[in-house]
Amino acid sequence: MLIEESVGSIVELLVAAERIRKRFKPNDDDREEIWYRGQPDASLTLLPTLYRSDNEQFHFDELTLLDRFEALSTPLVGNKPATPLERYFLARHPGLPSRLLDWSAAGLTANDFAIEKHLPRTHRAREALCRGDSHGASSSGAGRARAGLLVAGG
C-alpha cells in the first residue's frame, strides 16, 4: 500500500507520519513493524543502485566492487567488519552500488535522506524551513523540492 501526503514542515511531517502509522498499525500493541524510506526524488522507483540506469553503463560486477572496497577501505576502517554482510552494509555508506535499498525504523532518519539534497544552504533558511515558513526557505529551492518518504508495514 502506498500512501502519499504533502507536508511543508517537520511538524506537518510528524502529524502525517502518525496518521499513516495508525492506518498500518491501528492498535499500539500490534507487533506490526513500520519501515520508512526517504528518497530525494519522489519519481524514482524502488530500484537498488546497482540496477539503476545511471549505473548500468558501467557493467558493475558486485563481487569485484566489494573486493576493491575492502582493499581500499581496510586502512581507513577502525573495526574490521566481522562478516561479509557487515562489509556489504559498510560499503553502502560511501555510495557503493548494491542490491540493497536503505530503509529505517525511524521516520525522521528517512526524512533526512529525502530532503538532504533539497535543504537550503544557510542556517537562517533552514530555521525558517523547520518553523514551516516556506517563504523564508523557498528562495533556495527547498520549498519546491519533491522528495519522497515511503512507509511500509512488515
Side-chain angles (χ1 to χ4, degrees), residues 65-136:
L65 286 172
L66 287 170
D67 287 344
R68 184 118 171 104
F69 174 79
E70 184 172 29
L72 294 172
S73 68
T74 298
L76 305 172
V77 176
N79 296 328
K80 185 177 178 183
T83 67
L85 189 59
E86 281 185 18
R87 179 174 54 128
Y88 198 73
F89 282 107
L90 180 64
R92 277 295 301 130
H93 285 279
L96 190 81
S98 79
R99 291 177 280 149
L100 299 176
L101 276 176
D102 297 317
W103 291 85
S104 175
L108 288 177
T109 300
N111 178 67
D112 187 54
F113 282 104
I115 67 170
E116 69 181 333
K117 291 181 181 175
H118 304 293
L119 286 175
R121 299 288 179 230
T122 68
H123 183 69
R124 173 177 276 155
R126 285 181 186 222
E127 284 180 345
L129 186 65
C130 288
R131 285 193 310 271
D133 177 7
S134 61
H135 299 304

Side-chain angles (χ1 to χ4, degrees), residues 4-8 12 16 19:
E4 187 173 331
E5 297 218 14
S6 295
V7 297
E12 289 177 19
R19 196 170 38 246

Side-chain angles (χ1 to χ4, degrees), residues 24-76:
F24 276 100
K25 187 177 173 179
N27 182 352
D28 287 336
D29 295 330
D30 189 354
R31 299 191 69 181
E32 179 86 11
E33 292 185 15
I34 305 291
W35 291 92
Y36 302 88
R37 174 167 171 74
Q39 295 186 167
D41 183 348
S43 67
L44 293 176
T45 60
L46 290 177
L47 189 65
T49 54
L50 190 63
Y51 306 117
R52 292 185 188 158
S53 60
D54 56 336
N55 284 329
E56 283 179 349
Q57 63 183 323
F58 299 111
H59 305 289
F60 287 132
D61 171 43
E62 191 174 34
L63 291 177
T64 303
L65 286 172
L66 287 170
D67 287 344
R68 184 118 171 104
F69 174 79
E70 184 172 29
L72 294 172
S73 68
T74 298
L76 305 172

